[in-house]
Amino acid sequence: MMSHMNFKELPYMLYADPDGRIYDHPYYRMAGFSGSSVAVLQNEDLMLMPEFSKLFYIPDCPPIGLDPSTGEHKVVSRVRLGHKTTRCQAVAAFLEPGIVRSHLPAADFGAKSYTLPMWGYTAVGFRDDHYLAAGFRVEYNHRWDPRNYDDHELVPAVRLFKKTQARGALVNHLVNCAVNNHCFAAKNLFLKRWEAPLPVSRVCNAECLGCLSLQPDYGCESSHQRISFRPSQEEVVRIALNHLNHAEDAIVSFGQGCEGEPLTEYRLIADSIREIRRKTAKGTINLNTNGSLPKCVRELAKAGLDSIRISLNSPRPVYYQSYYRPKNYVFEDVVASIALSREMGLYTMINYLVFPGISDQEAEIETMIALIRKTGVHFIHLKNLNIDPQLYLERMPKADSKAVGMKRMMGLIQKECPEIEFGYFNRSIR
Ligand code: SF4
């Protein structure tokens, strides 16, 4: 527990006025949530907020700040500045890729009657002219550094691609992804480097609460338009060959944010992989998936898939069920896909959608250690789950397992499973 005096070292709480302008509070200090519990932040929880992060305000939700004189947390609905009193709204950050948030924004969500769009909301404060966010870097990779994505280079690259490569529905879809949705993977296709996307599936056999490509009416808007057509094998192979043969550190990945579940199109993918590998041995062919259909995973591994990234929000079946809402498959199928992928020699990764207060519960950590030991998975992506925190907490089972902190969670798993690697980005393995 920080000594009383240290409270004053904490960054100042941020708030937004009714017009969304963001200010640092003259008195209250920054706080954070672990799940729905307010937590006193420690210096080791804080990092300078990287410049390509975003700031959001949360309408109708006053922030919760820490009173540095008493150490008590207060809901700060209004602030008096000179003769004026202003209503306060909470502020949150969305951090650059490669950073895991340790705390959620501390706010009173009581008055909120809407669902927040899908971002990884993170606690943020202000001190010494800097924004400080509650998080830690798990991996730096220049291939995903926003500073290396300059659209002045992209536009001529797209023009050249259109001129030199045959057109098609998938190319047009990916131009929209690169130019309008600012998808880094799609930009890489036109910039002929690193990891490029091959979305193919219109449907999914799950109904994730935080699905990026399809949200029910009463929810919030989906972040991506789901692909509405089935690309031809000819176009998939042509785009993949062009990238694998000419791009630096080339990876092509099936399973993108703008599609459903790629395993629902496993035949198209298997036939495409076989044809690609008949024509080139270069680069890495990867699959991002929910891992729901082990039989299909086996077919893709036999066809020549190199690596696989299987997503889950929790290794505890009841939490998985509550988030993924699977149709015609069960969590054990996902575990079977992870183990099978390892057995069949794929570079096997888990895309762990983490959430402070749930992912760092002792019961969760024990279950994740058991899953790693059972499957022999190589690598764990620690991805901030992009979802309205209130919605997620409402839908997850109420557990009384103690939360130990996100960084400590990673340390405990690493200690028990020294062979596991943590990170944030897919790997080229050829
Ligand atoms: S598995 Fe993917 S496509 Fe399917 S519902 Fe979940 S996020 Fe959406």
Side-chain angles (χ1 to χ4, degrees):
M1 183 69 172
M2 281 179 77
S3 67
H4 177 75
M5 117 83 207
N6 288 337
F7 292 151
K8 290 197 170 69
E9 285 170 22
L10 279 168
Y12 288 89
M13 181 193 84
L14 293 171
Y15 70 93
D17 69 12
D19 301 323
R21 281 187 296 265
I22 294 175
Y23 302 88
D24 50 323
H25 193 278
Y27 177 71
Y28 285 105
R29 297 307 195 271
M30 166 187 185
F33 269 8
S34 169
S36 52
S37 317
V38 68
V40 175
L41 296 161
Q42 314 292 348
N43 271 324
E44 62 268 21
D45 295 322
L46 301 172
M47 64 180 296
L48 284 178
M49 186 179 80
E51 64 188 304
F52 281 87
S53 307
K54 299 178 191 305
L55 287 177
F56 297 99
Y57 74 96
I58 306 177
D60 311 330
C61 299
I64 293 174
L66 181 136
D67 182 329
S69 318
T70 62
E72 283 167 20
H73 289 97
K74 293 262 172 54
V75 175
V76 186
S77 309
R78 309 187 77 75
V79 62
R80 188 173 182 78
L81 296 171
H83 304 300
K84 243 181 90 202
T85 300
T86 299
R87 195 163 55 81
C88 293
Q89 303 182 103
V91 171
F94 174 73
L95 301 175
E96 272 186 35
I99 296 170
V100 179
R101 75 188 151 185
S102 63
H103 291 78
L104 306 161
D108 174 359
F109 292 107
K112 182 163 83 56
S113 57
Y114 59 88
T115 301
L116 284 165
M118 289 167 291
W119 298 92
Y121 299 94
T122 302
V124 60
F126 195 77
R127 183 177 65 194
D128 307 332
D129 295 331
H130 291 291
Y131 291 104
L132 287 122
F136 57 94
R137 184 171 283 287
V138 68
E139 184 180 356
Y140 174 76
N141 183 329
H142 71 278
R143 299 180 192 83
W144 295 98
D145 184 337
R147 295 158 195 78
N148 296 329
Y149 288 82
D150 179 349
D151 283 359
H152 294 102
E153 293 169 19
L154 177 69
V155 175
V158 169
R159 258 198 226 108
L160 180 64
F161 192 98
K162 285 182 178 175
K163 224 170 28 198
T164 56
Q165 304 295 318
R167 304 290 291 280
L170 189 51
V171 168
N172 295 341
H173 174 87
L174 294 171
V175 169
N176 177 54
C177 294
V179 174
N180 300 322
N181 292 344
H182 295 293
C183 166
F184 283 3
K187 292 176 195 273
N188 286 336
L189 179 72
F190 302 106
L191 296 167
K192 291 193 182 315
R193 62 184 192 180
W194 309 332
E195 184 171 355
L198 291 173
V200 295
S201 54
R202 293 155 293 170
V203 298
C204 185
N205 56 356
E207 278 181 3
C208 296
L209 292 174
C211 179
L212 297 175
S213 64
L214 192 68
Q215 279 290 321
D217 304 342
Y218 59 78
C220 56
E221 221 180 298
S222 59
S223 330
H224 302 285
Q225 293 96 17
R226 188 176 283 187
I227 196 168
S228 59
F229 60 91
R230 184 177 192 271
S232 67
Q233 180 179 328
E234 183 279 328
E235 191 176 11
V236 170
V237 171
R238 175 165 34 83
I239 292 174
L241 281 173
N242 175 55
H243 194 70
L244 294 172
N245 284 330
H246 301 108
E248 173 204 341
D249 285 334
I251 303 175
V252 289
S253 277
F254 296 96
Q256 299 295 323
C258 60
E259 65 175 305
E261 171 47 43
L263 291 176
T264 61
E265 289 288 359
Y266 80 98
R267 287 194 186 83
L268 168 62
I269 299 174
D271 295 345
S272 301
I273 294 175
R274 269 188 287 274
E275 195 178 341
I276 293 166
R277 284 307 181 214
R278 254 202 307 279
K279 295 179 175 155
T280 185
K282 289 185 178 170
T284 298
I285 304 177
N286 176 62
L287 173 72
N288 303 321
T289 171
N290 66 15
S292 53
L293 306 168
K295 286 200 188 78
C296 303
V297 169
R298 182 185 295 282
E299 291 309 309
L300 298 180
K302 284 190 324 194
L305 187 67
D306 297 305
S307 64
I308 190 167
R309 188 191 76 184
I310 297 176
S311 291
L312 48 84
N313 67 314
S314 174
R316 292 181 284 180
V318 66
Y319 285 76
Y320 182 92
Q321 179 77 28
S322 305
Y323 177 77
Y324 277 78
R325 304 183 295 182
K327 294 180 277 183
N328 308 323
Y329 76 92
V330 291
F331 181 66
E332 284 63 36
D333 293 320
V334 177
V335 176
S337 290
I338 301 170
L340 177 67
S341 302
R342 188 71 176 75
E343 274 160 39
M344 296 193 73
L346 302 184
Y347 185 73
T348 305
M349 305 173 276
I350 287 177
N351 196 38
Y352 191 13
L353 309 175
V354 292
F355 191 90
I358 291 189
S359 310
D360 55 337
Q361 287 176 8
E362 291 170 333
E364 174 100 353
I365 296 168
E366 279 158 28
T367 316
M368 182 54 93
I369 290 168
L371 177 67
I372 294 166
R373 288 184 175 147
K374 179 177 178 179
T375 60
V377 64
H378 292 108
F379 184 93
I380 294 183
H381 293 243
L382 290 182
K383 292 276 177 39
N384 300 317
L385 178 59
N386 288 350
I387 196 167
D388 178 322
Q390 193 192 23
L391 170 70
Y392 191 62
L393 289 165
E394 270 166 17
R395 298 298 184 85
M396 288 305 111
K398 304 290 172 276
D400 53 7
S401 175
K402 181 166 168 275
V404 300
M406 297 298 287
K407 210 184 259 181
R408 190 140 183 278
M409 169 269 280
M410 193 172 85
L412 288 170
I413 294 175
Q414 192 75 76
K415 186 162 155 275
E416 296 300 320
C417 309
E419 71 296 342
I420 198 76
E421 214 188 323
F422 283 100
Y424 200 97
F425 307 106
N426 285 337
R427 295 261 173 297
S428 53
I429 59 161
R430 278 191 190 217

